[in-house]
Amino acid sequence: MLSRVWSAAVLGVDALPIEIETHTEPGIPRWTVVGLPDGAVRESRDRIWAALKNSGLPVPRGAVTVNLAPADVRKEGSAYDLPMALGLLAATTDGVSQAVLDEVVVVGELGLDGAVRPVRGVLPMAAGARAEGRRAMVVPSENVAEAAVVEGLEVYPVATLRDAFDFLMQGGHGTPEPARVLVTEAVVAGGPDFADVRGQGLVKRALEVAAAGGHNALMVGPPGSGKTMLARRLPTVLPPLTPAEALETTKILSVGGRLNGAGRHGLVAERPFRSPHHTISNAGLCGGGSNPMPGEISLAHNGVLFLDELPEFDRPVLEVLRQPLEEGEVTIARARATVRYPARFMLVASMNPCPCGHAGDPTRACVCAPGQVQRYLAKVSGPLLDRIDLHVEVTPVPFEALGRKQDAEPSAAVRDRVQAARERQAARFAGDPGRYCNAQMTSRQVRQWCALDDASRALLKSALTRLGLSARAHDRILKVSRTIADLEGADALSPAHLAEAIQYRSLDRAGWGVGG
């Protein structure tokens, strides 16, 4: 007999429908799987046979042929165990309607005892099932909340192979669809807070501007001045994820197998904060592998990518950031497939001003030779530096500020201002789906929303001429100016907004000669 069960494969953050055809006939017992299966799919025979026997279900005899279509797409992983087992039961058992099978998508890994185990990428699979017009989806119990966020799709959790088989025998109706979990602002009481940081008022202001507009920022200062402490508190002032952003973020984490329990309750609520070690490789940062998986820049989508001690990263690794910083996505080409992962993130980096870390430190003398300093700074290329909107010098905090008993402004107060600015930007870009903040403006939108009066234009011209800035830096200054105006609730840009944005190009002003 012949049966068909629908499943799905994940390519990037999208799903491809997979039709699993199962044909059984009397003869010498054999198991054949065709359709470019990988090792995990070929090994499913032993898992399925043991799961059927230990679940008290009939074990088919004779020749079994399973085809995974389309045959020119490689099938990888263990998510096909459950649909293959149900296809085998449907081909050898009376009572399972093919009409029911045609309206349901099934995914899940089987244990030898018949337990259904969670798999990666369930959220994009559910979105793909809904787009294909399927009525329902059968998923492992641990993946049910992740899939249930897709509206218009009935999601049925199963804990065992027997549960899935009973669901089909009942005509495809059973457990009700779980309630959708809404995205809420997640702020952990007692966690990191800007109020913990003493002094550094100018740096806090710069990070507030960066958070309000989604801008990239680089902090330069001696060791112990608070760069890492400030960066790790940046997520506490970012606005909550919008529903669209939460869906994008959860998709990527689902594909990468990085939900870590967050998606078990629906969409993730917190913006990602990724801080990879400086020994990371190109593939670890941008993604890769024979089966391309998302890297750190994609896992930081809609959040923050923090690169501590920026010059310690290999220069080729840093250079791969150029395209994602401009385009908001990364394309990974392999012999088997080419996939695209979203990568629209805030880059926040920190570095010392020299190898010993004390160049410009008023309390300690630098012991580095001029050539050492230049070689150290040259590890960060000019083109990469040009893509960073705010360059902030962080100075050591004096003892008086450390011991001063006064309450610094908490993250909640800063977040309220950032949220108000983001709401202005959301209204501005309401007709442009996928664009949420000023840092994402196109050149045409910069001309539209960052118009200058004569005084502001003269100031910008003087700054560009004196600092020798590029056309890219010109647009980034305008974007930062627009964000500063949004924080003040101003509709038009003024020379004061522009002057503050220009001062955040401190490396250009200092003429540090960072290598190109």
Side-chain angles (χ1 to χ4, degrees), residues 354-399:
C354 66
C356 78
H358 297 291
D361 190 337
T363 61
R364 297 185 62 178
C366 174
V367 298
C368 302
Q372 288 179 293
V373 176
Q374 289 300 318
R375 285 192 297 272
Y376 180 78
L377 298 177
K379 293 180 180 180
V380 183
S381 71
L384 177 60
L385 189 65
D386 207 29
R387 289 166 167 81
I388 299 179
D389 307 289
L390 294 88
H391 311 155
V392 189
E393 294 184 53
V394 185
T395 57
V397 181
F399 175 78

Side-chain angles (χ1 to χ4, degrees), residues 67-127:
N67 178 44
L68 308 178
D72 59 346
V73 176
R74 188 164 182 81
K75 319 304 185 304
E76 298 178 325
S78 57
Y80 305 109
D81 287 1
L82 182 59
M84 291 170 67
L86 293 179
L88 194 58
L89 289 169
T92 57
T93 306
D94 294 333
V96 178
S97 168
Q98 184 60 53
V100 173
L101 292 174
D102 286 339
E103 60 184 15
V104 177
V105 171
V106 183
V107 295
E109 176 185 336
L110 286 177
L112 299 184
D113 60 351
V116 179
R117 296 172 176 169
V119 295
R120 296 185 307 188
V122 169
L123 177 53
M125 291 179 186

Side-chain angles (χ1 to χ4, degrees), residues 288 327 415 444:
E327 300 181 2
R415 188 171 59 251
R444 180 177 299 178

Side-chain angles (χ1 to χ4, degrees), residues 288-330:
S290 57
N291 176 28
M293 298 298 291
E296 289 292 330
I297 63 173
S298 295
L299 296 174
H301 182 62
N302 291 323
V304 176
L305 177 69
F306 176 47
L307 301 184
D308 200 5
E309 302 296 342
L310 188 65
E312 300 301 327
F313 288 79
D314 289 340
R315 180 159 174 168
V317 173
L318 294 180
E319 293 308 298
V320 300
L321 291 172
R322 292 190 193 181
Q323 180 194 15
L325 285 173
E326 288 292 321
E327 300 181 2
E329 67 176 14
V330 59

Side-chain angles (χ1 to χ4, degrees), residues 193-209:
D193 195 287
F194 262 18
D196 302 332
V197 183
R198 299 295 180 180
Q200 305 296 12
L202 293 178
V203 186
K204 290 180 183 179
R205 167 64 177 178
L207 292 181
E208 178 182 339
V209 172

